[in-house]
Each structure stands twice: as structure tokens, then as C-alpha cells.
Amino acid sequence: MNPYEDLDVKLRTLIHLSKKNEDSRRAAVVFYLLIRRVLNESGVKLGFAPLISNKEHKAFEYMNIINSVMQNTFNFKIFHKEIIDKVQKYELLYLRNPMSFPFDSLKELVNIYYDLRKMDVPNVYQSIHDTDYLESSYTTQANNFFIRSNNGRSGIFFKKKDSNHVKQYLSHELSHKEAMIRKKLKNKYDKESFEQLLQYKKLKREIAMGNSKKISFKGQLKNNHLYQESLNEIPGFFLIGLAVVFIMLSIVILIQELFRPEISGAFTLIAFALFGIAIILGFLYWKLYYQEVRNQ
Amino acid sequence: MAGTIKGKFARILFLFGLALAFISMFMDWYYYSACSSGSVIAEWSFNAFLSWQTSFIEGISSNEALRPKDSTELLIMGVILIGLVFICAFGAILKSVEMTNSMEETKPYIYLNTFLLMINGYFILVMPFTFLITNELYFPFISIEDLSTNTIHSYCIGPAYVMQVASFLLIFPHILFSVLTINRFESKKRSPETLIAKILESSKEEIPLEKFIAELNSESRSKEDVSIIYEKFQRQRWRRTR
């Protein structure tokens, strides 16, 4: 369903009535405000402050600001120079005398509005925060480096040296892909490529930050596959729990023997045995859960 | 799928551990008895709520003389533990970390779970020092013969302590996993759509489209009316001139 269907019907009626009455004044006001609205939407979606509703804040200036930031950040421009020039020409014409906007120029104003509306800018907030995005893209592969799985076992630990190699490799891969998309976008803007570029940028940042960043999820956590993988760590935690209990019991026994010289030596063997079992359990955890994940 | 089963299994064990912790508070924590010449001269058992209890009838001097000291510490900690057990059970059943849409909702329960684990640890690690050693009782079990009075003193921890240890083992994996989960994952506070809609709504410029259409419509009608009247007038004038 076209979200602009209702609006387009009204706009057609407005243009028809304007022609009939030979009055372009009202249509000019409407299309000028619509152009500002569509630019405002694009700007906000890209993470810019909204276009403030006063004449001081001109639409073509807003377009220039967006373009310069995009050029600095992504090395391409969202708006072509021709469309900015057109917006500037007709905006200044409208602002100079809004009560007598020429009919011929109204046609241009209508064209500018529809050209801008066709652009369809991606929602930067969504591209950055949405895990659905992540799970359906290249990013998942990278995340899986950090929360790994092997034969049903997984963990959050891995060798720092290995992780650095993975980081370097991924950063290189991503930079290469980024450069290709930037080149493509420089020639012609399209929403999908821009979304991909945003994802790669986000991923590069995450890789640089390591595991310090939390994994965001939408909906119920049980549906997140990274969470599902992390559930495999639970049996390992039973081993840690058992080791902690044995250590606590051996501490109690040994300290009691220090306080009570009359029973000194009676439980020493038990205390050390418990301590030994705790060490074995710790070793088992290290071997079965911790080290295996690190060695992947 | 296997992961989900592990998660459910850990939660069931957690609830079972909570049940054990709760029941343990009504069980005996410690047993002490003394035998002299083959006959029992003193027998005491400690319960957190009822303090030291004896199966002997009151007034037997040897039994009264060997009564260990009272302690309110286990009573206070027991009350805290029972309260926590109920809150944590509620959290595990209704506010489970995997069922939640918002991490913020489950965080308080996970912190309370951690506090419960610490109380549990207190009963296992600290209580033997603060209660047993200070009351001249031994851990975990021992029989000591006092040659001067020819009496055998028997000391033994009760089922409550064993149940606390078992409870710790059962609740530990789930709690550790929950703590790691809230540190690894975060739920999105606001959807991007809502955020964008909110910003756009606040910066929206009103477009009087309907109003303009209505105005143009009425202007158009009035123009039509004028032209009809003019046409009528012209027709009448033409007839008159003929």
C-alpha cells in the first residue's frame, strides 16, 4: 500500500483547483512546506537535528549541511548539486514573494517535491540498533567470533592474540567492502547500499571496541540465537559451583583447625581432599569449556 | 533447541534449590549430645526459629548445664533468606530473563538472586565461624572424649546445613548465567520508529492542505455562480434587444 496515496489525491485536487482558479499561491505554500517536510524526514532519519520551522533555516542550506557531513563521514553526497540549486532557486523565489508565485515555477516545485520523496533515505537509528539487521547480514559472522560455539559448547573467552588476528582480518575485509560501496554510492545513491555501508561502519566500530559493547536484542531474549548459544555454558557453571562449595568447606575446616588446636590434624586430610577436588573441577571447566572455546 | 532445554533445566534446578533453602530453615542446624558411662546425659538440637531444643524433660541439671549458647543471628538471616526465596521464585517464574522484553525489568530480580546466593554462602562459609566456633561447637562432626569427666561429647551439623550446600549448588549456575546475560545483552529501550516519529512530530510544520482545497473549491464555485448569473443576464438582454 502506498503511504502517500491519500496525500497524492489531495495534491492532485489542489493542483486542479489552482489551475481552474488560476491561483498558484496556495499550491506554492503547500509544496514548499512539503519539500521542507520531506527534507526534515530525511535529515532526522540520517541522525541530523530537525529542520526548524522558520524562514531563517532554509531548506537548501539544510541540504548542504547534510551533504557536507555525509561527504566527510561516508565520502559521498546524498543530494545532487542540480537538485540543491533548484531548491535554492525556487525557495528564494517563494520567500521573496509568496503571494504571487508564478504558475510555471509551481510545476518545478512539484517536480522537486516528488524527486526528493523518491530518494528514500534509510533510518540510521534502525540500521545501527536493529539486531534483525545484524542477524541477517555479514555482521552475524563477526559476532559469532566473539560468542563462539563448537560442538554445542560455547563461551565468551578466546585468546587475545587470535582475537587480534580476527579483528585485523575483519577490519580489512570491511574496509574493502566499505570502499566498494562508497564508490558505488558516489556514482549513484541507493538506499540498500547506504544501509550496508552503515552496517559495515557499525561492525568496524564494534570490532575495534571488542566485547565491551552489549548485544542488543528486540523481542524476547529466548529468540535470540546468540543467547541460545550462550545457554551451552550452563553445565560449565555447575562445575564452577561445585568447586566453589568444596573450596568453602575446606576453608571452614582449615580455619577451624587453626582456632582449635585440640582437633588439629583430624580434618586436615578431608580439607585438602576437598580443595584438591575443587582444583580438579576447575581444571575440568578450563579444559572442557574455557580452553576449547579459546582454541577455536 | 538443546540450549533452550538447558536453560529450562537450569531454571527448574534453581527453583528446586530455592525450595531446599526454604525447607532448610525449618530443619535442625546442629546436634549436640553428651554420654557418660553409656547413658545420654545431654541432648540438644538447634533450629533457627526455635533455638536449642531438647528431647529431655526440663529440669535435668546435666542436660541444662551442657546447653550451648543461644544465637539470634541465624533467625535474622533465616527471615531474610525466606523473604528472598519468595521474591526470587516469583522472579524466576514470571520475570525470567529469557522471557522478558526488557532487561531493566529483570535486573532487580537478578540482583536479588545474587544477594540470595550471598546469604546462602553466608550459611555455608561464615556461619560455622560466627555461630559454631564461638559457641565451642565443632564442624562438621566429631566425638571428643573428656577424660576428666569420663564424658563423650558428640557434635554434628544438621540436615539444614547439608540442604543449604545442596541449594547453593542448584542455584549457582542459574544465577551466574543470569548475571552474565544482563552484562552481555541489552534490550532496546525505544524502537527507532518511535524515536523518529517523536522527533518528526515535534518538528512538524502544519500544512493547511484541506483548508486550501476547501477555499479554492468555494472560490471556484462562486466564480461559476458569477458566470452563470452573467450568462443569464446576457441571455435576457439579448432577448430584450430582439
Side-chain angles (χ1 to χ4, degrees):
Chain A
M1 197 193 143
N2 180 8
Y4 296 108
E5 207 176 323
D6 191 37
L7 178 70
D8 286 345
V9 170
K10 284 176 184 169
L11 290 176
R12 269 198 297 274
T13 314
L14 181 77
I15 293 167
H16 172 72
L17 288 169
S18 299
K19 273 183 187 169
K20 201 173 163 186
N21 291 5
E22 289 172 353
D23 176 6
S24 63
R25 206 166 25 106
R26 291 185 181 88
V29 173
V30 167
F31 278 98
Y32 175 66
L33 290 175
L34 280 171
I35 287 168
R36 286 179 67 89
R37 182 180 283 184
V38 80
L39 284 172
N40 189 33
E41 272 176 25
S42 303
V44 170
K45 275 184 183 175
L46 289 168
F48 289 85
L51 182 60
I52 300 158
S53 57
N54 64 33
K55 286 176 186 175
E56 297 297 312
H57 222 113
K58 291 184 181 71
F60 72 90
E61 285 172 352
Y62 191 63
M63 291 165 92
N64 277 326
I65 292 168
I66 292 176
N67 259 4
S68 67
V69 174
M70 296 305 282
Q71 177 68 41
N72 290 337
T73 323
F74 299 105
N75 207 21
F76 79 94
K77 286 174 180 171
I78 286 266
F79 304 109
H80 282 288
K81 196 182 175 299
E82 299 84 67
I83 198 158
I84 298 179
D85 289 344
K86 271 188 192 177
V87 172
Q88 182 174 4
K89 183 182 168 189
Y90 294 103
E91 183 173 34
L92 292 175
L93 184 69
Y94 170 83
L95 293 174
R96 220 173 289 141
N97 195 358
M99 301 309 283
S100 61
F101 195 78
F103 233 108
D104 299 339
S105 306
L106 178 66
K107 198 184 164 192
E108 278 302 317
L109 215 55
V110 174
N111 287 340
I112 291 169
Y113 168 66
Y114 282 102
D115 283 347
L116 288 173
R117 208 174 80 175
K118 260 190 275 173
M119 281 197 61
D120 197 15
V121 162
N123 186 339
V124 172
Y125 298 95
Q126 190 159 10
S127 302
I128 288 172
H129 298 294
D130 208 336
T131 44
D132 293 347
Y133 254 77
L134 300 179
E135 284 172 8
S136 62
S137 74
Y138 179 81
T139 323
T140 313
Q141 296 170 32
N143 271 330
N144 284 341
F145 276 109
F146 298 103
I147 297 181
R148 279 146 180 269
S149 68
N150 182 30
N151 300 329
R153 294 194 187 100
S154 72
I156 52 165
F157 313 105
F158 53 95
K159 272 182 192 167
K160 201 169 181 181
K161 196 178 75 186
D162 294 344
S163 86
N164 285 338
H165 287 151
V166 171
K167 277 181 186 179
Q168 278 170 11
Y169 168 75
L170 280 175
S171 295
H172 173 75
E173 281 283 296
L174 290 168
S175 300
H176 179 65
K177 280 176 185 284
E178 247 190 84
M180 277 166 64
I181 293 175
R182 276 185 178 153
K183 205 173 164 186
K184 195 177 158 192
L185 283 166
K186 216 169 180 177
N187 295 331
K188 193 178 181 281
Y189 167 81
D190 77 281
K191 191 187 175 187
E192 284 73 30
S193 305
F194 186 35
E195 278 174 349
Q196 260 187 321
L197 184 65
L198 288 171
Q199 284 178 41
Y200 290 150
K201 265 193 110 54
K202 176 191 181 277
L203 184 55
K204 264 177 81 176
R205 199 168 54 239
E206 274 187 4
I207 289 166
M209 283 165 71
N211 275 343
S212 60
K213 200 175 183 301
K214 288 182 179 181
I215 303 158
S216 59
F217 69 96
K218 199 167 79 176
Q220 288 188 332
L221 188 57
K222 67 171 182 178
N223 299 326
N224 186 295
H225 86 273
L226 295 175
Y227 171 77
Q228 292 285 342
E229 278 187 17
S230 68
L231 283 166
N232 293 322
E233 292 170 45
I234 291 175
F237 297 156
F238 275 103
L239 293 180
I240 297 176
L242 209 56
V244 170
V245 164
F246 285 152
I247 288 170
M248 286 199 290
L249 292 177
S250 60
I251 288 171
V252 171
I253 291 169
L254 287 172
I255 292 180
Q256 180 186 234
E257 290 200 345
L258 284 175
F259 279 96
R260 299 287 178 77
E262 70 271 20
I263 58 158
S264 181
F267 296 110
T268 315
L269 198 64
I270 296 172
F272 281 113
L274 289 172
F275 203 76
I277 294 169
I279 290 169
I280 291 167
L281 289 169
F283 178 74
L284 278 176
Y285 173 77
W286 186 69
K287 202 78 184 154
L288 294 175
Y289 294 90
Y290 183 90
Q291 203 190 37
E292 196 163 297
V293 171
R294 278 180 54 159
N295 285 339
Q296 278 174 62
Chain B
M1 192 62 196
T4 317
I5 293 164
K6 279 175 194 165
K8 277 183 185 165
F9 186 63
R11 198 141 58 99
I12 290 165
L13 287 183
F14 174 74
L15 290 170
F16 193 62
L18 290 183
L20 274 183
F22 177 74
I23 296 165
S24 75
M25 294 320 299
F26 303 97
M27 307 294 279
D28 291 333
W29 281 92
Y30 204 81
Y31 295 114
Y32 164 71
S33 63
C35 294
S36 183
S37 316
S39 59
V40 180
I41 57 164
E43 193 179 70
W44 293 97
S45 61
F46 185 79
N47 181 293
F49 295 105
L50 304 170
S51 192
W52 288 103
Q53 299 283 299
T54 181
S55 54
F56 281 34
I57 45 167
E58 268 185 57
I60 296 174
S61 58
S62 60
N63 191 39
E64 292 297 326
L66 291 167
R67 187 183 194 271
K69 285 176 205 158
D70 277 330
S71 170
T72 51
E73 160 200 329
L74 285 189
L75 174 68
I76 296 162
M77 297 308 275
V79 170
I80 296 170
L81 185 123
I82 288 171
L84 282 171
V85 161
F86 279 105
I87 299 168
C88 293
F90 172 81
I93 295 165
L94 298 172
K95 301 278 179 187
S96 151
V97 70
E98 62 179 21
M99 303 295 280
T100 186
N101 291 325
S102 158
M103 269 312 197
E104 297 305 311
E105 269 181 38
T106 39
K107 264 185 188 173
Y109 291 98
I110 292 167
Y111 292 139
L112 284 173
N113 281 350
T114 316
F115 186 49
L116 174 80
L117 191 73
M118 285 160 75
I119 299 279
N120 209 280
Y122 162 85
F123 280 114
I124 300 168
L125 185 68
V126 184
M127 188 273 285
F129 303 118
T130 57
F131 175 61
L132 300 183
I133 295 175
T134 52
N135 282 342
E136 293 178 356
L137 301 168
Y138 294 89
F139 179 87
F141 44 80
I142 195 166
S143 284
I144 297 171
E145 191 174 1
D146 186 349
L147 294 170
S148 60
T149 55
N150 199 23
T151 311
I152 297 167
H153 300 273
S154 299
Y155 304 88
C156 182
I157 51 157
Y161 188 87
V162 178
M163 285 167 101
Q164 280 294 323
V165 171
S167 169
F168 185 92
L169 284 174
L170 296 175
I171 66 173
F172 182 84
H174 179 78
I175 294 174
L176 181 60
F177 177 72
S178 305
V179 171
L180 286 177
T181 301
I182 60 163
N183 285 322
R184 269 182 220 165
F185 293 90
E186 64 178 356
S187 50
K188 273 178 274 178
K189 284 170 190 149
R190 269 193 297 185
S191 72
E193 291 83 6
T194 328
L195 186 70
I196 293 287
K198 213 176 167 185
I199 298 170
L200 288 177
E201 193 57 45
S202 62
S203 61
K204 207 173 182 180
E205 289 176 291
E206 277 307 309
I207 300 172
L209 183 56
E210 274 98 3
K211 188 187 153 204
F212 284 175
I213 290 172
E215 280 175 10
L216 284 167
N217 245 332
S218 72
E219 275 175 26
S220 155
R221 248 183 247 129
S222 59
K223 270 185 187 171
E224 276 172 10
D225 289 347
V226 169
S227 64
I228 289 165
I229 291 164
Y230 182 73
E231 251 177 54
K232 260 186 191 173
F233 167 75
Q234 287 285 19
R235 241 180 272 141
Q236 278 171 359
R237 203 169 65 161
W238 183 71
R239 272 183 209 146
R240 261 187 239 135
T241 49
R242 281 194 72 183

